[in-house]
Amino acid sequence: MRRFVALAMAVAWWPALVPAQQDRDYSKVEIKVHKVQGSVYMLEGAGGNIGVSVGDDGIVIIDDQFAPLASKIEAALRSLGDRKVRFVVNTHWHFDHVGGNAYFQQQGPVLAHENVRRRMQEGGELMGGQVKVPPASKDALPVVTFNDRASLHLNGEEIRAIHYPGGHTDGDAVVFFTRSNVVHMGDDFVTYGFPFIDLDSGGSVKGMAAAVRAVIAAAPPDAKIIPGHGKISTVADLRAYADMLEDAAARVQKGIRAGKTADDLKREKVLAGYEKWSGEFVSTDKFIDTLYLDLTGKKPGQFQKHN
């Protein structure tokens, strides 16, 4: 597990999966607790947002950030009641979401889509070989896996994990807290701007847009949305995000049909009007590169480096 976390700290330029600073001092990270609604809370720290169900049956957490933060996360959970972690659900395999698996699996089993376990077990190359992920330790691997969906019946509600294929990765799970009217989106939805789509892990813009549209159709209009990263959101926020994904993909696809390169599309400012989505994590040019690679079926290594 130490090798897995060390890698996360070493490749800090890969912003959707790692801390913003290369030498992050985790001792300075504060775990903030936000009430969402019903019996659901959100923990904010360094890494993916953690969803928390708290009740008489114990605690269920959705993702668990980085290993060095596990004791702080546990302390934050205790502030919600002295209860045991019964289950951990991973929304996908990236190490800012699964870094605490080994720690929390001493309390309760980790549940995830079968591709999460496979990718963690095998490791592999990402970003066209620029990032090499070693296999995770056995105690960090999910011990309960599913293909399509799985449900936990705890704390007076069904906590339903549904697999939406080929969005952020090929192992994404969106988690519905059905009574509390809360949805944890994992990194199929983020609020920091343009999303990171992990093409090496089976992600795609069409799959991500389809997943978001499916959640919009399934969730009540007043549902609260926990993004993979960012502030608690609404179904209206999801709709604006899906609109952006679909329109951006359509613009790039039109350029591809006209025989244009990714550099052509950047010079022509093909995503003009979406400047507010360009962020520190994923710039406009990086997102154009990602869409171009995805829609043409090329491999990430065919661009030397995103701008």
Side-chain angles (χ1 to χ4, degrees), residues 12-239:
W13 54 269
W14 195 15
L17 302 186
V18 293
Q21 299 85 15
Q22 187 166 2
D23 297 314
R24 185 91 188 231
D25 184 354
Y26 286 102
S27 68
K28 300 184 184 303
V29 174
E30 177 187 358
I31 305 298
K32 298 177 182 178
V33 178
H34 304 277
K35 178 67 182 286
V36 184
Q37 64 183 14
S39 59
V40 176
Y41 296 78
M42 184 184 90
L43 302 188
E44 176 189 3
N49 289 327
I50 299 173
V52 184
S53 170
V54 181
D56 292 340
D57 297 324
I59 291 175
V60 177
I61 61 174
I62 316 302
D63 293 337
D64 49 36
Q65 297 193 357
F66 293 101
L69 295 175
S71 60
K72 288 188 175 186
I73 293 167
E74 187 173 40
L77 294 174
R78 284 202 199 100
S79 75
L80 299 174
D82 189 15
R83 297 178 175 89
K84 178 184 176 182
V85 174
R86 295 284 305 279
F87 288 93
V88 179
V89 180
N90 290 155
T91 62
H92 61 289
W93 80 290
H94 290 155
F95 32 70
D96 63 326
H97 293 257
V98 305
N101 275 12
Y103 185 95
F104 287 105
Q105 193 145 238
Q106 297 176 54
Q107 301 180 41
V110 175
L111 167 73
H113 185 264
E114 57 193 23
N115 286 341
V116 173
R117 179 180 170 91
R118 177 177 62 82
R119 290 195 177 277
M120 290 179 66
Q121 195 169 30
E122 295 175 356
E125 293 186 351
L126 302 173
M127 298 293 286
Q130 295 180 58
V131 177
K132 300 183 188 304
V133 181
S137 61
K138 181 180 178 181
D139 55 354
L141 296 173
V143 298
V144 182
T145 60
F146 63 93
N147 177 267
D148 177 54
R149 63 183 60 204
S151 290
L152 301 173
H153 298 271
L154 293 167
N155 298 332
E157 69 180 325
E158 180 185 2
I159 302 170
R160 185 185 304 151
I162 299 179
H163 173 55
Y164 293 101
H168 179 58
T169 70
D170 61 8
D172 300 335
V174 172
V175 181
F176 292 78
F177 298 90
T178 55
R179 189 191 68 178
S180 295
N181 197 20
V182 175
V183 184
H184 192 308
M185 290 293 299
D187 281 2
D188 271 332
F189 171 61
V190 295
T191 67
Y192 56 64
F194 291 126
F196 172 68
I197 300 172
D198 186 355
L199 303 182
D200 286 291
S201 295
S204 72
V205 64
K206 291 181 180 178
M208 181 177 282
V212 177
R213 289 294 184 198
V215 173
I216 292 169
D222 59 346
K224 295 293 186 183
I225 309 298
I226 300 176
H229 298 263
K231 65 181 181 179
I232 297 168
S233 302
T234 65
V235 173
D237 296 324
L238 277 184
R239 192 171 290 110

